[in-house]
Amino acid sequence: MSDPSLASAHSLFDLARDCGDRLAAVHRTQIRREPWPDFEGFERERYPLELRREAAEQWAGRARAEHGSIHQFSQIAHALATARAPLVLLGALARLITDEVRHAELCFAMAVACEPELSPGPASWPALTTPWKPPPPDADDAALLAWASRAILIACCIGETISRPMLDAIATVATDPVAEGCARQILRDEHLHATFGWEALAHLVPRLGAAERELLQETLRTSLAGFEQSTACGVSVAELAGTELEISRDPTTPNLGLLTPTQYAAIFYSTLETEVFPKLVELGLDPVDAWARRGEAIPEG
């Protein structure tokens, strides 16, 4: 006679396994987009170990950054939903969150393809943080919208606008089809992400009071300093003065989607000047003043 408790345990195990399979199927249907890179076909042995390890480090770092974007956009979505923002904002933002899940999966899969011994995914990554304080728990609708305007300025208007030319460059220099395919999959989404930021901020800024506009300008100053520190790789704009940097593919030198510090910095400064600053001016912000004062101390509180 069979043990009923054992049968029950098997039943629960099968249910959990089936649920996992179904969730995985939902995930694949929602996240994966053709053409999906052929990670199993990645010819690892073609590349030196040192190059693969460097590529694994950069792609894993990109995966963690995309995971951070999931966290950031989810927080923004919660604030906007709580403040009863227009559904078109929430709908577009939901798409962005889905895209960031895709991007994290792509980047981590590329990292593992380069270095199969990498530790597991998100469970092993550092705890998530945001470049802003969470909204006060007792914030009213107006305060939540003002908070969201600052978060969108950082994450979308600046971050996503810079991300697009970065990914374009990564796809350009990659000599491996899998690495290029990863970058181009992500690149397909980045224009939408930046557009969401600029359109959402154009909706929110006219609804801000004078004090909140001043705070948005201050957020611009501190965020520009933070982006320069994290994105320009220690290369100052003065070091690039008078130099022309062409980003192109060199078929004689293997590249798994890696950029040099100088290339990162050049893309960062150029994108600020040609794309980010003009759009900020259209919104009534002063990026020139914010940039000039970016070295000032960040006030406490």
Side-chain angles (χ1 to χ4, degrees):
M1 182 175 178
S2 62
D3 184 344
S5 64
L6 184 61
S8 176
H10 281 302
S11 178
L12 289 173
F13 175 81
D14 291 341
L15 177 62
R17 183 188 60 195
D18 292 345
C19 181
D21 290 343
R22 288 195 293 270
L23 286 176
V26 170
H27 172 81
R28 285 192 298 270
T29 301
Q30 177 78 352
I31 298 302
R32 298 199 177 184
R33 171 189 288 169
E34 295 300 330
W36 192 254
D38 181 17
F39 294 108
E40 293 184 1
F42 177 67
E43 299 179 62
R44 190 180 307 110
E45 66 280 357
R46 290 178 53 195
Y47 303 104
L49 178 60
E50 184 177 355
L51 174 63
R52 287 192 285 107
R53 284 181 172 169
E54 182 182 2
E57 182 178 348
Q58 286 204 24
W59 282 104
R62 292 166 188 164
R64 291 191 295 271
E66 302 290 357
H67 188 231
S69 293
I70 299 169
H71 180 235
Q72 292 175 17
F73 291 160
S74 297
Q75 192 180 51
I76 295 171
H78 182 269
L80 289 176
T82 302
R84 292 165 293 179
L87 292 178
V88 292
L89 287 179
L90 299 177
L93 192 50
R95 159 68 193 273
L96 266 62
I97 295 170
T98 299
D99 289 344
E100 298 299 355
V101 175
R102 177 186 304 112
H103 301 172
E105 180 170 335
L106 283 162
C107 291
F108 190 65
M110 187 65 218
V112 172
C114 292
E115 184 57 74
E117 301 304 317
L118 279 178
S119 59
S124 67
W125 294 346
L128 291 168
T129 60
T130 56
W132 52 68
K133 293 182 179 181
D138 57 348
D140 59 16
D141 290 356
L144 284 172
L145 293 177
W147 176 91
S149 71
R150 299 191 292 274
I152 289 169
L153 170 69
I154 298 170
C156 300
C157 296
I158 301 177
E160 296 293 336
T161 301
I162 293 170
S163 179
R164 183 193 51 75
M166 291 284 187
L167 282 158
D168 192 24
I170 290 167
T172 297
V173 301
T175 59
D176 183 90
V178 180
E180 181 184 0
C182 281
R184 295 208 179 279
Q185 273 268 1
I186 302 171
L187 185 59
R188 291 173 64 181
D189 298 323
E190 295 306 279
H191 177 70
L192 170 64
H193 294 198
T195 298
F196 165 81
W198 295 115
E199 293 294 329
L201 203 59
H203 170 79
L204 293 170
V205 166
R207 291 160 175 77
L208 301 179
E212 293 295 352
R213 285 173 181 257
E214 289 181 10
L215 188 52
L216 187 64
Q217 176 69 27
E218 178 65 12
T219 298
L220 174 60
R221 179 184 74 79
T222 57
S223 63
L224 286 176
F227 274 107
E228 183 180 28
Q229 184 177 22
S230 63
T231 310
C233 303
V235 180
S236 69
V237 67
E239 293 176 74
L240 296 175
T243 63
E244 291 187 9
L245 184 66
E246 180 182 356
I247 297 177
S248 60
R249 180 175 300 166
D250 180 359
T252 66
T253 304
N255 189 308
L256 295 173
L258 307 183
L259 298 176
T260 67
T262 300
Q263 289 173 328
Y264 277 119
I267 295 169
F268 170 71
Y269 293 122
S270 174
T271 306
L272 284 186
E273 180 182 9
T274 61
E275 296 188 46
V276 176
F277 282 15
K279 287 184 170 63
L280 291 170
V281 171
E282 291 177 7
L283 290 172
L285 296 171
D286 188 345
V288 174
D289 177 75
W291 180 257
R293 298 191 303 109
R294 70 192 185 284
E296 295 179 8
I298 298 175
E300 296 183 0

